Structures are given as structure tokens and as C-alpha cells.
Amino acid sequence: MSILLKLLREGLGRVIIFISKLTQPKQIERSPEAQAALKSETSQLSLYEFYACPFCVKTRRAIHKLNINIETRDIRKQQEYYQELSQQGSTQVPCLRIEQGNKVKWMYESDDIINYLNGRFGMS
């Protein structure tokens, strides 16, 4: 039964990804200078995810729309990413790792992550 459930979940995830690719939102346009300035800011962010997770797809769509580059870390494909996330007490995805100086903040929940990214990188 659990194998069937895994296959169903993975299959539905792939359908969601396919639909997401077909309906990709338009990206924010910035000057080349403004876009380059964001590179150092976004280098401090990492998104821990599962590729076929609907909430992760939702978060990646927001990242695409904001036209920012954030490293994605699929915890199913890389054991080290799974271990990094599990050391925080939860393997819930999506999870945004935010480096601020010598401190690290972990943000869970797709809506919270999207609101944070919109507030930080959205165009006013």
C-alpha cells in the first residue's frame, strides 16, 4: 500500500510540475546593475525542498517571478542536505535557510517564505 501511495504522490507531483512549467509567471524586470546587486544578497539563501512537492513548486514559482537566484537543495537526492535540515529538528519542506552574518535562520511554510521574499526582493 505504501508503494502505491508513493507512486501516486510522485505522479501527482510530476503533473503539478508540468502544469507549473506551462503556466510560469512573468519575471520582474530589473536593470542589469540591479540584477547583479541581488546576486550577493541571494547567495546567502538556500531553499531545501523536494522537487515534486506542491508547496515547493509554489515557492519556486515565486522565486522565478521575483527573478532571483536561490540555490535549491533537494533533500531526497542529497543525503547531506537531508541531514543539515534534520539537525534543525524538522525535515519539513520547503525550508529557506537565511544566512545573516554569522547567524542562520530557518524559515518553514511556503506562504511565510514567499512573503519574506516578496518583502525583500519584490518591486514596490
Side-chain angles (χ1 to χ4, degrees):
M1 181 78 168
S2 69
I3 293 175
L4 181 60
L5 186 58
K6 279 185 178 181
L7 289 173
L8 180 61
R9 185 179 310 147
E10 185 68 23
L12 288 174
R14 297 290 173 175
V15 169
I16 290 168
I17 290 167
F18 178 73
I19 292 169
S20 176
K21 295 280 186 197
L22 290 177
T23 62
Q24 201 68 280
K26 186 176 192 267
Q27 289 184 312
I28 290 175
E29 292 185 27
R30 296 184 183 89
S31 69
E33 296 81 18
Q35 196 66 33
L38 287 177
K39 189 173 185 177
S40 66
E41 285 189 60
T42 58
S43 70
Q44 304 301 310
L45 305 173
S46 305
L47 181 70
Y48 289 73
E49 62 161 4
F50 297 152
Y51 182 70
C53 162
F55 298 104
C56 297
V57 171
K58 176 181 174 181
T59 305
R60 288 195 308 266
R61 286 176 62 87
I63 290 169
H64 173 82
K65 183 177 180 178
L66 290 168
N67 196 12
I68 54 177
N69 293 316
I70 296 178
E71 177 186 6
T72 56
R73 298 179 173 184
D74 191 321
I75 68 171
R76 284 191 175 165
K77 292 184 179 179
Q78 293 285 338
Q79 186 64 27
E80 67 185 90
Y81 297 149
Y82 178 85
Q83 290 173 347
E84 287 173 13
L85 190 57
S86 67
Q87 288 174 354
Q88 304 314 306
S90 175
T91 56
Q92 176 184 331
V93 291
C95 179
L96 185 66
R97 182 179 191 266
I98 307 164
E99 294 181 41
Q100 298 171 321
N102 60 355
K103 294 183 180 180
V104 175
K105 179 180 177 182
W106 297 85
M107 182 178 291
Y108 298 89
E109 299 295 335
S110 58
D111 288 338
D112 292 343
I113 294 168
I114 292 167
N115 288 335
Y116 170 80
L117 295 174
N118 280 329
R120 186 165 173 190
F121 302 109
M123 304 287 277
S124 301

